[in-house]
Structure formats: structure tokens, C-alpha cells
Amino acid sequence: MPHDHSDHLSPSGHPYRADNDEPLSYWQTMEIAVRELLIEKGVSTAAEINAQIDAMDARSPADGAQVVARAWTDPAFRERLLANGSDACREMDFDIGALQLIAVENTRDTHNVIVCTLCSCYPRNLLGLAPDWYKSREYRSRTVKEPRKVLSEFGVTLPDTVQIRVHDSTADMRYVVIPARPDGTDGWSAEALAKLVTRDSMIGTGLAKTP
Amino acid sequence: MTDFDGKRWHDMGGADAGPVVPAEHDFALWEKRVDALMVLCSTKGLFTVDGLRRAIEDMGPDVFENTTYYDRWIAAVNQNLIEAGTYTLGELGAKMDEVAARGDTYGQAARG
């Protein structure tokens, strides 16, 4: 049965979290009121709002993984990605919007990690919405001060010979990490490589999976 | 305010804090709607991301502990829309009363 507005499914075909039976909160009341006022005033439509939700839902770390895998396998693309992250992602038909996206590359002696100390800026157009911990006081406060310790809490322990660079994002300037390509993947296709690229490896709180 | 260190509450970089708790959740429909409203209203030029941030930063430190991320976002979206003249405070109040009267759950009040 085709779904309607009240039975809105995500692109994966799953319903949204079943929270509609919980008591109505003040802020939920405000969301409904603001949304209905915007529709009544002709600023937006229910269809446009649903389409925007679907567009955001369609974004996921799998998009970023494709970009990373191509950078690993296509040296000319890697150069373009490092020179202008937004344009290189647009080349692959990802809708980066007006964001200035800066790709930073992990190497044998440098590890990059991204944070937004002031709010929650995140490469959302490439990776989807940020996880809760990225927006937490603990991550925002400590990543710029003791990044090695924060990374160790994610299970990432780097030798002292590896320099850690922390990139503090702003509303207009978002970073994405190109993790180091794992050893033992020579000759792999971009498609196979993309499966090794996790969300956290593109934030810098993880490494790409090893084969 | 003799102990003011020159940083406002949202400027957290470098402060002491506990271990990072690897919390995540699937976003609820109402949260996705708030996110969509923010993106659409800013795309339409009604306000900017900086306007959203300014409203959140002006809420003060308690709000970070007492509200959720999208609670703050809808409050900030609403603040900016009132400032932009999209609707009035009176229209908002009347609409919120109407919505709250529809039922006790989000599903009832949102009519889906």
C-alpha cells in the first residue's frame, strides 16, 4: 500500500522511530505550529518539507565513502579533492550546497580529526546528520585540548610519531577526513574499498577498516 | 561577573569535561521536520545559519543541559521567523494552543 503523509517512510523503507505515542512536548508543539504557519503563509508546503526530509535521509556516510575510495584510486581526483572539496564532490553529483568543504588527508605521519567547538558544524551534506556525541560538551571541549586522549576513548591509539591535526569547523567551513588507505588493498576496486570507509574514519575518530 | 573568562557558554573548546559518551540515536520524525524547516527557511533567505546560532547562543548555558538539540533548534528557528516578520508572536501563540488541544501525543497533535 502506498504510504501517505501520516505513514512517512524513510528511503530504506523503514518507518521513522515510533515516537508518535509519547506525550506531546512543548517544543514538539512549537514544531507543529511553526510548520503549519509556514504552510498557511505560503512559505513552504507539506510536500516540500517531506522532500527535504527525504533528501537529508538519503545522505549517509556511504556517500563520503565513495568519495574517499575514488581519492584512493584516482590520483587526479585526489588532487582535485584536496584543492577544492566542494567542487570535487559535486563532480560525483553529491549536493554540497553552499558549503565550503575542505578535505584533509591522513598520511603515515599525520592524522586529522574534525570537531566544532562552537556548535555542531559537520559535513552533513556529504555524511548525513551528525551523531549525538559529535555535538556533546565532552567532544566539543576536549578534542582541541587533548585529542590523543579523546581518540583513545574511541579505541584509536596513535604512536607519538604521528602528528594529530585538529580542525575546528565553522558554519561556512566544514572538514572531512580522507582516512589512510589500509595496507593489503592493492588492486582493489573503488567499490570494494568504499566498504572499508566508516563514518568515524571520515571524522577522524576512527580508521578505515582493514581487510 | 568577576569570574567571567571572556568566553560565552557555547565557546567550549579547551574546557575540561568528562569522557566522550558514544551516544547516538535515530532521529525522530519531529526532529527531521525541525531540521528540514531550518534548511528550507535558510535556503529561502528568511534567516541564516548565523541567525540560528545567535538565537541559540543567547539562550544561555542552562539550555544546553535542560533541552535537546532540536528543542533548541525549533526555538531558534521560531525566534528568527518572528524577527523576520513571517508570522507574529500572537499567531504563534494561537496556533500552539490549537495544536496542543488536538491531543496528548505528537501523533495526535501533528495529525500524523
Side-chain angles (χ1 to χ4, degrees), chain A residues 5 16 19-20 24 28 31 34-36 40-41 43 48 57 117 120 124 132-133 137-138 140-142 144-145 153 199, chain B residues 10 12 14 16-18 20-21 23-25 28 30 32-33 35 44 65 69 71 87 91 95 102 104-107:
Chain A
H5 176 73
Y16 291 116
D19 65 336
N20 284 10
L24 180 69
Q28 289 173 338
E31 178 273 310
V34 169
R35 178 162 45 87
E36 292 187 2
E40 286 169 19
K41 300 282 183 182
V43 173
E48 185 179 52
D57 271 346
T117 62
S120 57
R124 55 174 18 228
D132 292 342
W133 56 259
R137 177 183 296 282
E138 292 77 16
R140 288 170 52 179
S141 298
R142 293 179 48 233
V144 289
K145 187 182 187 181
E153 288 162 23
R199 180 196 66 198
Chain B
H10 65 278
M12 296 179 185
D16 293 325
V20 179
V21 179
E24 314 203 16
H25 78 286
W30 89 273
K32 293 181 183 214
R33 282 172 164 161
D35 200 274
K44 291 169 188 286
E65 315 301 337
Y69 187 74
D71 289 348
Y87 51 77
E91 287 174 315
K95 178 61 83 176
R102 292 175 192 164
D104 296 330
T105 68
Y106 181 79

CSV table of all heavy atoms in Angstrom, one decimal, chain A residues 5 16 19-20 24 28 31 34-36 40-41 43 48 57 117 120 124 132-133 137-138 140-142 144-145 153 199, chain B residues 10 12 14 16-18 20-21 23-25 28 30 32-33 35 44 65 69 71 87 91 95 102 104-107:
chain,number,residue,atom,x,y,z
A,5,HIS,N,1.2,10.8,3.9
A,5,HIS,CA,1.9,11.7,4.8
A,5,HIS,C,2.0,11.2,6.2
A,5,HIS,O,3.0,11.4,6.8
A,5,HIS,CB,1.2,13.1,4.7
A,5,HIS,CG,1.8,14.1,5.6
A,5,HIS,ND1,3.0,14.7,5.4
A,5,HIS,CD2,1.4,14.6,6.8
A,5,HIS,CE1,3.3,15.5,6.4
A,5,HIS,NE2,2.3,15.5,7.3
A,16,TYR,N,9.9,5.8,10.5
A,16,TYR,CA,10.7,6.5,11.4
A,16,TYR,C,10.5,6.0,12.8
A,16,TYR,O,9.5,5.3,13.1
A,16,TYR,CB,10.3,8.0,11.4
A,16,TYR,CG,10.8,8.7,10.1
A,16,TYR,CD1,9.8,9.2,9.2
A,16,TYR,CD2,12.1,8.7,9.8
A,16,TYR,CE1,10.2,9.8,8.0
A,16,TYR,CE2,12.5,9.3,8.6
A,16,TYR,CZ,11.6,9.8,7.7
A,16,TYR,OH,12.0,10.4,6.6
A,19,ASP,N,7.9,7.2,17.8
A,19,ASP,CA,7.8,8.1,19.0
A,19,ASP,C,6.5,8.8,19.0
A,19,ASP,O,6.3,9.7,19.9
A,19,ASP,CB,8.9,9.1,19.0
A,19,ASP,CG,8.8,10.0,17.8
A,19,ASP,OD1,8.1,9.7,16.8
A,19,ASP,OD2,9.3,11.1,17.9
A,20,ASN,N,5.6,8.6,18.1
A,20,ASN,CA,4.4,9.4,18.0
A,20,ASN,C,3.4,9.1,19.1
A,20,ASN,O,2.4,9.8,19.2
A,20,ASN,CB,3.7,9.1,16.6
A,20,ASN,CG,4.5,9.8,15.5
A,20,ASN,OD1,5.6,10.3,15.7
A,20,ASN,ND2,3.9,9.9,14.4
A,24,LEU,N,3.1,14.7,24.1
A,24,LEU,CA,3.5,15.8,23.3
A,24,LEU,C,4.3,16.8,24.2
A,24,LEU,O,3.9,17.2,25.3
A,24,LEU,CB,2.2,16.5,22.9
A,24,LEU,CG,2.4,17.7,22.0
A,24,LEU,CD1,2.9,17.4,20.6
A,24,LEU,CD2,1.0,18.4,21.8
A,28,GLN,N,7.8,20.1,20.7
A,28,GLN,CA,7.1,19.5,19.6
A,28,GLN,C,5.9,20.3,19.1
A,28,GLN,O,5.6,20.4,18.0
A,28,GLN,CB,6.7,18.0,20.0
A,28,GLN,CG,7.9,17.1,20.1
A,28,GLN,CD,7.5,15.7,20.6
A,28,GLN,OE1,6.5,15.6,21.3
A,28,GLN,NE2,8.3,14.7,20.4
A,31,GLU,N,7.1,23.0,17.0
A,31,GLU,CA,7.5,22.5,15.7
A,31,GLU,C,6.2,22.4,14.8
A,31,GLU,O,6.2,22.8,13.7
A,31,GLU,CB,8.2,21.2,15.8
A,31,GLU,CG,8.6,20.5,14.4
A,31,GLU,CD,7.5,19.7,13.8
A,31,GLU,OE1,6.9,18.8,14.5
A,31,GLU,OE2,7.1,19.9,12.6
A,34,VAL,N,4.9,26.0,14.0
A,34,VAL,CA,5.8,26.7,13.1
A,34,VAL,C,5.6,26.1,11.7
A,34,VAL,O,5.4,26.9,10.7
A,34,VAL,CB,7.2,26.6,13.5
A,34,VAL,CG1,8.2,27.2,12.4
A,34,VAL,CG2,7.4,27.4,14.8
A,35,ARG,N,5.6,24.8,11.6
A,35,ARG,CA,5.4,24.2,10.3
A,35,ARG,C,4.1,24.5,9.6
A,35,ARG,O,4.0,24.9,8.4
A,35,ARG,CB,5.6,22.6,10.4
A,35,ARG,CG,5.4,21.8,9.2
A,35,ARG,CD,6.0,20.4,9.3
A,35,ARG,NE,5.7,19.8,10.6
A,35,ARG,CZ,4.6,19.1,10.8
A,35,ARG,NH1,3.7,18.9,9.8
A,35,ARG,NH2,4.3,18.6,12.0
A,36,GLU,N,3.0,24.5,10.4
A,36,GLU,CA,1.7,24.8,9.9
A,36,GLU,C,1.6,26.3,9.5
A,36,GLU,O,1.0,26.6,8.5
A,36,GLU,CB,0.6,24.4,10.8
A,36,GLU,CG,0.5,22.8,11.0
A,36,GLU,CD,-0.6,22.3,11.8
A,36,GLU,OE1,-1.4,23.2,12.3
A,36,GLU,OE2,-0.7,21.1,12.0
A,40,GLU,N,0.6,27.7,5.9
A,40,GLU,CA,-0.5,28.7,5.8
A,40,GLU,C,-0.1,30.0,5.2
A,40,GLU,O,-0.9,30.6,4.4
A,40,GLU,CB,-1.1,28.9,7.2
A,40,GLU,CG,-2.0,27.8,7.7
A,40,GLU,CD,-2.4,27.9,9.1
A,40,GLU,OE1,-2.3,29.1,9.6
A,40,GLU,OE2,-2.7,26.9,9.8
A,41,LYS,N,1.1,30.4,5.5
A,41,LYS,CA,1.6,31.7,5.0
A,41,LYS,C,2.2,31.6,3.5
A,41,LYS,O,2.6,32.6,2.9
A,41,LYS,CB,2.7,32.3,5.9
A,41,LYS,CG,2.3,32.6,7.3
A,41,LYS,CD,1.5,33.8,7.4
A,41,LYS,CE,1.1,34.1,8.8
A,41,LYS,NZ,0.3,35.4,8.9
A,43,VAL,N,4.9,30.0,2.7
A,43,VAL,CA,6.3,30.0,2.6
A,43,VAL,C,6.8,28.6,2.1
A,43,VAL,O,7.8,28.5,1.4
A,43,VAL,CB,7.0,30.3,4.0
A,43,VAL,CG1,8.5,30.1,4.0
A,43,VAL,CG2,6.6,31.7,4.4
A,48,GLU,N,7.0,20.0,0.1
A,48,GLU,CA,8.4,20.4,0.1
A,48,GLU,C,9.2,20.0,1.3
A,48,GLU,O,10.3,19.6,1.3
A,48,GLU,CB,8.4,22.0,-0.1
A,48,GLU,CG,9.8,22.6,-0.2
A,48,GLU,CD,9.8,24.1,-0.4
A,48,GLU,OE1,9.2,24.8,0.5
A,48,GLU,OE2,10.4,24.6,-1.3
A,57,ASP,N,17.6,12.3,4.5
A,57,ASP,CA,17.7,10.9,4.8
A,57,ASP,C,18.5,10.1,3.8
A,57,ASP,O,19.1,9.1,4.1
A,57,ASP,CB,16.3,10.3,4.8
A,57,ASP,CG,15.6,10.4,6.2
A,57,ASP,OD1,16.4,10.6,7.2
A,57,ASP,OD2,14.4,10.1,6.3
A,117,THR,N,33.8,23.3,17.9
A,117,THR,CA,33.8,23.6,19.3
A,117,THR,C,32.7,24.6,19.7
A,117,THR,O,32.2,24.6,20.8
A,117,THR,CB,35.1,24.3,19.8
A,117,THR,OG1,35.3,25.5,19.0
A,117,THR,CG2,36.3,23.4,19.5
A,120,SER,N,27.8,22.7,16.1
A,120,SER,CA,27.7,21.3,15.7
A,120,SER,C,28.0,21.2,14.2
A,120,SER,O,27.5,20.3,13.5
A,120,SER,CB,26.2,20.9,16.0
A,120,SER,OG,25.3,21.7,15.3
A,124,ARG,N,27.5,17.6,6.8
A,124,ARG,CA,26.2,16.9,6.7
A,124,ARG,C,25.7,16.7,5.3
A,124,ARG,O,25.0,15.7,5.1
A,124,ARG,CB,25.1,17.7,7.5
A,124,ARG,CG,25.0,19.1,7.0
A,124,ARG,CD,23.9,20.1,7.5
A,124,ARG,NE,23.2,19.7,8.7
A,124,ARG,CZ,21.9,19.7,8.8
A,124,ARG,NH1,21.1,20.0,7.8
A,124,ARG,NH2,21.4,19.5,10.0
A,132,ASP,N,25.1,12.1,17.9
A,132,ASP,CA,24.9,12.9,19.1
A,132,ASP,C,26.3,13.2,19.8
A,132,ASP,O,26.4,14.4,20.3
A,132,ASP,CB,24.0,12.1,20.1
A,132,ASP,CG,22.6,12.0,19.6
A,132,ASP,OD1,22.2,12.7,18.7
A,132,ASP,OD2,21.9,11.1,20.1
A,133,TRP,N,27.2,12.3,19.8
A,133,TRP,CA,28.4,12.6,20.6
A,133,TRP,C,29.2,13.7,20.0
A,133,TRP,O,29.9,14.4,20.6
A,133,TRP,CB,29.3,11.3,20.7
A,133,TRP,CG,29.7,10.6,19.4
A,133,TRP,CD1,29.1,9.5,18.9
A,133,TRP,CD2,30.7,11.0,18.5
A,133,TRP,NE1,29.7,9.1,17.7
A,133,TRP,CE2,30.7,10.0,17.5
A,133,TRP,CE3,31.7,12.0,18.5
A,133,TRP,CZ2,31.6,10.1,16.4
A,133,TRP,CZ3,32.5,12.1,17.4
A,133,TRP,CH2,32.5,11.1,16.4
A,137,ARG,N,29.1,18.2,24.9
A,137,ARG,CA,30.1,19.1,25.6
A,137,ARG,C,31.4,18.4,25.6
A,137,ARG,O,32.5,19.1,25.4
A,137,ARG,CB,29.5,19.3,27.0
A,137,ARG,CG,30.5,20.2,27.8
A,137,ARG,CD,30.0,20.4,29.3
A,137,ARG,NE,28.7,21.1,29.3
A,137,ARG,CZ,28.6,22.4,29.3
A,137,ARG,NH1,29.7,23.2,29.1
A,137,ARG,NH2,27.5,23.0,29.3
A,138,GLU,N,31.5,17.1,25.9
A,138,GLU,CA,32.7,16.4,26.1
A,138,GLU,C,33.6,16.4,24.8
A,138,GLU,O,34.8,16.8,24.9
A,138,GLU,CB,32.5,14.9,26.5
A,138,GLU,CG,31.9,14.8,27.9
A,138,GLU,CD,30.4,15.2,28.0
A,138,GLU,OE1,29.7,15.2,26.9
A,138,GLU,OE2,29.9,15.4,29.1
A,140,ARG,N,33.2,18.4,22.1
A,140,ARG,CA,33.5,19.8,21.7
A,140,ARG,C,34.6,20.4,22.6
A,140,ARG,O,35.4,21.2,22.1
A,140,ARG,CB,32.2,20.6,21.8
A,140,ARG,CG,31.2,20.3,20.7
A,140,ARG,CD,29.9,20.9,21.0
A,140,ARG,NE,29.9,22.4,21.2
A,140,ARG,CZ,28.9,23.2,21.4
A,140,ARG,NH1,27.7,22.6,21.4
A,140,ARG,NH2,29.0,24.4,21.6
A,141,SER,N,34.6,20.2,23.9
A,141,SER,CA,35.5,20.8,24.8
A,141,SER,C,36.9,20.2,24.6
A,141,SER,O,37.9,20.9,24.6
A,141,SER,CB,35.1,20.6,26.2
A,141,SER,OG,33.8,21.2,26.4
A,142,ARG,N,37.0,18.9,24.6
A,142,ARG,CA,38.3,18.2,24.8
A,142,ARG,C,39.1,17.9,23.6
A,142,ARG,O,40.3,17.7,23.6
A,142,ARG,CB,38.0,16.9,25.7
A,142,ARG,CG,37.6,17.2,27.1
A,142,ARG,CD,37.3,16.0,27.9
A,142,ARG,NE,38.4,15.0,27.8
A,142,ARG,CZ,38.2,13.7,27.4
A,142,ARG,NH1,37.0,13.2,27.2
A,142,ARG,NH2,39.3,13.0,27.3
A,144,VAL,N,40.0,19.6,21.1
A,144,VAL,CA,41.1,20.6,20.8
A,144,VAL,C,42.1,20.7,21.9
A,144,VAL,O,43.2,21.3,21.6
A,144,VAL,CB,40.5,22.0,20.6
A,144,VAL,CG1,39.7,22.1,19.3
A,144,VAL,CG2,39.6,22.5,21.8
A,145,LYS,N,41.9,20.1,23.0
A,145,LYS,CA,42.8,20.2,24.1
A,145,LYS,C,43.7,18.9,24.3
A,145,LYS,O,44.8,19.0,24.6
A,145,LYS,CB,42.0,20.5,25.4
A,145,LYS,CG,42.9,20.8,26.6
A,145,LYS,CD,41.9,21.0,27.8
A,145,LYS,CE,42.6,21.5,29.0
A,145,LYS,NZ,41.7,21.7,30.1
A,153,GLU,N,39.6,7.2,23.6
A,153,GLU,CA,38.2,6.8,24.1
A,153,GLU,C,37.4,6.2,22.9
A,153,GLU,O,36.4,5.5,23.2
A,153,GLU,CB,37.6,8.0,24.7
A,153,GLU,CG,38.2,8.4,26.0
A,153,GLU,CD,37.8,9.8,26.5
A,153,GLU,OE1,36.8,10.4,26.1
A,153,GLU,OE2,38.6,10.3,27.3
A,199,ARG,N,32.0,6.0,8.8
A,199,ARG,CA,31.7,7.4,9.2
A,199,ARG,C,32.8,7.9,10.1
A,199,ARG,O,33.3,9.0,9.8
A,199,ARG,CB,30.4,7.4,9.9
A,199,ARG,CG,30.0,8.8,10.3
A,199,ARG,CD,28.9,8.9,11.3
A,199,ARG,NE,29.3,8.3,12.6
A,199,ARG,CZ,28.5,7.9,13.5
A,199,ARG,NH1,27.2,7.9,13.4
A,199,ARG,NH2,29.1,7.4,14.6
B,10,HIS,N,28.7,28.8,24.9
B,10,HIS,CA,28.8,27.9,23.7
B,10,HIS,C,30.2,27.7,23.3
B,10,HIS,O,30.5,26.8,22.5
B,10,HIS,CB,28.0,28.4,22.6
B,10,HIS,CG,28.5,29.7,22.0
B,10,HIS,ND1,28.3,30.9,22.6
B,10,HIS,CD2,29.4,29.9,21.0
B,10,HIS,CE1,28.9,31.9,21.9
B,10,HIS,NE2,29.6,31.3,20.9
B,12,MET,N,33.1,26.2,23.9
B,12,MET,CA,33.5,25.2,24.8
B,12,MET,C,34.9,24.7,24.6
B,12,MET,O,35.4,23.9,25.4
B,12,MET,CB,32.6,24.0,24.7
B,12,MET,CG,31.1,24.3,25.1
B,12,MET,SD,30.1,22.8,24.8
B,12,MET,CE,28.5,23.5,25.3
B,14,GLY,N,38.5,23.6,24.6
B,14,GLY,CA,39.5,23.7,25.6
B,14,GLY,C,39.1,23.6,27.0
B,14,GLY,O,39.9,23.5,27.9
B,16,ASP,N,37.5,21.8,30.4
B,16,ASP,CA,37.6,20.4,31.0
B,16,ASP,C,36.2,19.8,30.9
B,16,ASP,O,35.1,20.5,31.0
B,16,ASP,CB,38.0,20.5,32.4
B,16,ASP,CG,39.4,20.9,32.6
B,16,ASP,OD1,40.2,20.6,31.7
B,16,ASP,OD2,39.7,21.6,33.6
B,17,ALA,N,36.2,18.5,30.6
B,17,ALA,CA,34.9,17.8,30.6
B,17,ALA,C,35.2,16.3,30.7
B,17,ALA,O,36.4,15.9,30.6
B,17,ALA,CB,34.2,18.0,29.3
B,18,GLY,N,34.2,15.5,31.0
B,18,GLY,CA,34.4,14.1,31.2
B,18,GLY,C,34.6,13.3,29.9
B,18,GLY,O,34.8,13.9,28.8
B,20,VAL,N,34.1,11.1,26.5
B,20,VAL,CA,33.1,11.2,25.4
B,20,VAL,C,32.2,10.0,25.5
B,20,VAL,O,32.7,8.9,25.5
B,20,VAL,CB,33.7,11.3,24.0
B,20,VAL,CG1,32.7,11.4,23.0
B,20,VAL,CG2,34.6,12.6,24.0
B,21,VAL,N,30.9,10.2,25.6
B,21,VAL,CA,30.0,9.0,25.7
B,21,VAL,C,29.5,8.8,24.2
B,21,VAL,O,29.0,9.8,23.6
B,21,VAL,CB,28.8,9.3,26.6
B,21,VAL,CG1,27.8,8.2,26.6
B,21,VAL,CG2,29.2,9.6,28.0
B,23,ALA,N,27.2,8.3,22.4
B,23,ALA,CA,25.7,8.2,22.2
B,23,ALA,C,25.3,8.6,20.8
B,23,ALA,O,25.9,9.4,20.1
B,23,ALA,CB,25.1,9.2,23.2
B,24,GLU,N,24.3,7.8,20.3
B,24,GLU,CA,23.7,8.1,19.0
B,24,GLU,C,22.2,7.7,19.1
B,24,GLU,O,21.9,6.9,19.9
B,24,GLU,CB,24.3,7.2,17.9
B,24,GLU,CG,25.8,7.2,18.0
B,24,GLU,CD,26.5,6.8,16.7
B,24,GLU,OE1,25.7,6.9,15.6
B,24,GLU,OE2,27.6,6.5,16.7
B,25,HIS,N,21.4,8.3,18.3
B,25,HIS,CA,20.0,7.8,18.2
B,25,HIS,C,19.5,8.1,16.8
B,25,HIS,O,20.1,8.9,16.1
B,25,HIS,CB,19.1,8.5,19.2
B,25,HIS,CG,18.7,9.9,18.9
B,25,HIS,ND1,19.5,11.0,19.0
B,25,HIS,CD2,17.5,10.4,18.5
B,25,HIS,CE1,18.9,12.1,18.6
B,25,HIS,NE2,17.7,11.8,18.3
B,28,ALA,N,14.0,11.2,15.3
B,28,ALA,CA,12.6,11.1,15.2
B,28,ALA,C,12.0,12.0,14.1
B,28,ALA,O,12.7,13.0,13.7
B,28,ALA,CB,12.0,11.5,16.6
B,30,TRP,N,9.8,14.3,14.2
B,30,TRP,CA,9.7,15.7,14.6
B,30,TRP,C,11.0,16.4,14.5
B,30,TRP,O,11.1,17.5,14.1
B,30,TRP,CB,9.0,15.9,15.9
B,30,TRP,CG,9.9,15.9,17.1
B,30,TRP,CD1,10.3,14.8,17.8
B,30,TRP,CD2,10.5,17.0,17.7
B,30,TRP,NE1,11.2,15.2,18.8
B,30,TRP,CE2,11.3,16.6,18.8
B,30,TRP,CE3,10.4,18.4,17.5
B,30,TRP,CZ2,12.0,17.4,19.6
B,30,TRP,CZ3,11.2,19.3,18.3
B,30,TRP,CH2,11.9,18.8,19.4
B,32,LYS,N,13.5,15.5,12.4
B,32,LYS,CA,13.8,15.6,11.0
B,32,LYS,C,13.0,16.8,10.4
B,32,LYS,O,13.5,17.5,9.5
B,32,LYS,CB,13.5,14.3,10.3
B,32,LYS,CG,14.4,13.2,10.7
B,32,LYS,CD,14.0,11.9,9.9
B,32,LYS,CE,15.0,10.8,10.4
B,32,LYS,NZ,15.3,9.9,9.3
B,33,ARG,N,11.8,17.0,10.9
B,33,ARG,CA,11.0,18.1,10.4
B,33,ARG,C,11.6,19.5,10.9
B,33,ARG,O,11.7,20.4,10.1
B,33,ARG,CB,9.6,18.0,11.0
B,33,ARG,CG,8.7,17.0,10.2
B,33,ARG,CD,7.4,16.8,10.9
B,33,ARG,NE,6.5,16.1,9.9
B,33,ARG,CZ,5.4,15.5,10.3
B,33,ARG,NH1,5.1,15.4,11.6
B,33,ARG,NH2,4.6,14.9,9.4
B,35,ASP,N,14.8,20.0,11.4
B,35,ASP,CA,16.0,20.1,10.5
B,35,ASP,C,15.6,20.6,9.1
B,35,ASP,O,16.2,21.5,8.6
B,35,ASP,CB,16.7,18.8,10.4
B,35,ASP,CG,18.1,18.9,10.0
B,35,ASP,OD1,18.4,18.9,8.7
B,35,ASP,OD2,19.0,19.0,10.8
B,44,LYS,N,15.5,29.8,1.7
B,44,LYS,CA,14.6,30.8,1.1
B,44,LYS,C,15.0,32.2,1.6
B,44,LYS,O,14.3,33.2,1.3
B,44,LYS,CB,13.2,30.5,1.6
B,44,LYS,CG,12.6,29.2,1.0
B,44,LYS,CD,11.3,28.8,1.7
B,44,LYS,CE,10.8,27.5,1.2
B,44,LYS,NZ,10.2,27.5,-0.2
B,65,GLU,N,21.9,22.0,29.0
B,65,GLU,CA,21.6,20.8,29.9
B,65,GLU,C,20.2,20.5,30.0
B,65,GLU,O,19.8,19.3,30.2
B,65,GLU,CB,22.1,21.1,31.3
B,65,GLU,CG,23.5,21.8,31.4
B,65,GLU,CD,24.6,20.9,30.8
B,65,GLU,OE1,24.4,19.7,30.7
B,65,GLU,OE2,25.7,21.5,30.4
B,69,TYR,N,18.9,19.0,21.5
B,69,TYR,CA,19.4,19.7,20.3
B,69,TYR,C,18.3,20.3,19.5
B,69,TYR,O,18.3,21.5,19.1
B,69,TYR,CB,20.2,18.7,19.5
B,69,TYR,CG,21.0,19.3,18.3
B,69,TYR,CD1,22.1,20.0,18.5
B,69,TYR,CD2,20.6,19.1,17.0
B,69,TYR,CE1,22.9,20.6,17.5
B,69,TYR,CE2,21.3,19.6,16.0
B,69,TYR,CZ,22.4,20.4,16.2
B,69,TYR,OH,23.1,20.9,15.2
B,71,ASP,N,15.2,20.7,20.3
B,71,ASP,CA,14.4,21.7,21.1
B,71,ASP,C,15.0,23.1,20.8
B,71,ASP,O,14.2,24.0,20.6
B,71,ASP,CB,14.5,21.4,22.6
B,71,ASP,CG,13.8,20.1,23.1
B,71,ASP,OD1,13.0,19.6,22.3
B,71,ASP,OD2,14.0,19.8,24.3
B,87,TYR,N,5.6,35.5,10.7
B,87,TYR,CA,4.3,35.5,11.5
B,87,TYR,C,4.5,36.2,12.8
B,87,TYR,O,5.7,36.6,13.1
B,87,TYR,CB,3.8,34.0,11.7
B,87,TYR,CG,4.8,33.1,12.3
B,87,TYR,CD1,5.1,33.1,13.7
B,87,TYR,CD2,5.5,32.2,11.5
B,87,TYR,CE1,6.1,32.3,14.2
B,87,TYR,CE2,6.4,31.3,12.1
B,87,TYR,CZ,6.7,31.4,13.4
B,87,TYR,OH,7.7,30.5,13.9
B,91,GLU,N,0.1,35.1,16.5
B,91,GLU,CA,-0.2,34.0,15.6
B,91,GLU,C,0.4,32.7,16.1
B,91,GLU,O,-0.2,31.6,16.1
B,91,GLU,CB,0.2,34.3,14.2
B,91,GLU,CG,-0.6,35.3,13.5
B,91,GLU,CD,-0.1,35.7,12.1
B,91,GLU,OE1,1.1,35.9,12.0
B,91,GLU,OE2,-0.9,35.8,11.2
B,95,LYS,N,-1.7,29.4,17.4
B,95,LYS,CA,-1.5,28.1,16.7
B,95,LYS,C,-1.0,27.1,17.7
B,95,LYS,O,-1.5,25.9,17.7
B,95,LYS,CB,-0.5,28.3,15.6
B,95,LYS,CG,-0.2,27.1,14.8
B,95,LYS,CD,-1.4,26.4,14.1
B,95,LYS,CE,-1.7,27.1,12.8
B,95,LYS,NZ,-2.8,26.3,12.1
B,102,ARG,N,-5.3,19.4,20.3
B,102,ARG,CA,-5.7,18.2,19.4
B,102,ARG,C,-5.5,16.9,20.1
B,102,ARG,O,-6.1,15.9,19.7
B,102,ARG,CB,-4.9,18.2,18.2
B,102,ARG,CG,-5.2,19.4,17.2
B,102,ARG,CD,-4.2,19.4,16.1
B,102,ARG,NE,-4.3,20.7,15.3
B,102,ARG,CZ,-3.4,21.1,14.4
B,102,ARG,NH1,-2.4,20.3,14.2
B,102,ARG,NH2,-3.6,22.2,13.8
B,104,ASP,N,-2.9,14.4,23.2
B,104,ASP,CA,-1.8,14.3,24.2
B,104,ASP,C,-0.5,13.8,23.6
B,104,ASP,O,0.5,13.8,24.3
B,104,ASP,CB,-2.2,13.4,25.4
B,104,ASP,CG,-3.4,14.0,26.2
B,104,ASP,OD1,-3.5,15.3,26.2
B,104,ASP,OD2,-4.2,13.3,26.7
B,105,THR,N,-0.6,13.3,22.4
B,105,THR,CA,0.6,12.7,21.8
B,105,THR,C,1.0,13.5,20.6
B,105,THR,O,0.2,14.3,20.0
B,105,THR,CB,0.4,11.3,21.4
B,105,THR,OG1,-0.5,11.2,20.3
B,105,THR,CG2,-0.1,10.4,22.5
B,106,TYR,N,2.3,13.3,20.2
B,106,TYR,CA,2.8,14.0,19.0
B,106,TYR,C,1.9,13.6,17.8
B,106,TYR,O,1.6,14.4,16.9
B,106,TYR,CB,4.2,13.7,18.7
B,106,TYR,CG,4.8,14.5,17.5
B,106,TYR,CD1,5.1,15.8,17.6
B,106,TYR,CD2,4.9,13.8,16.3
B,106,TYR,CE1,5.6,16.5,16.5
B,106,TYR,CE2,5.4,14.5,15.2
B,106,TYR,CZ,5.7,15.8,15.2
B,106,TYR,OH,6.1,16.5,14.1
B,107,GLY,N,1.7,12.3,17.7
B,107,GLY,CA,0.9,11.8,16.5
B,107,GLY,C,-0.5,12.5,16.4
B,107,GLY,O,-0.9,12.9,15.3
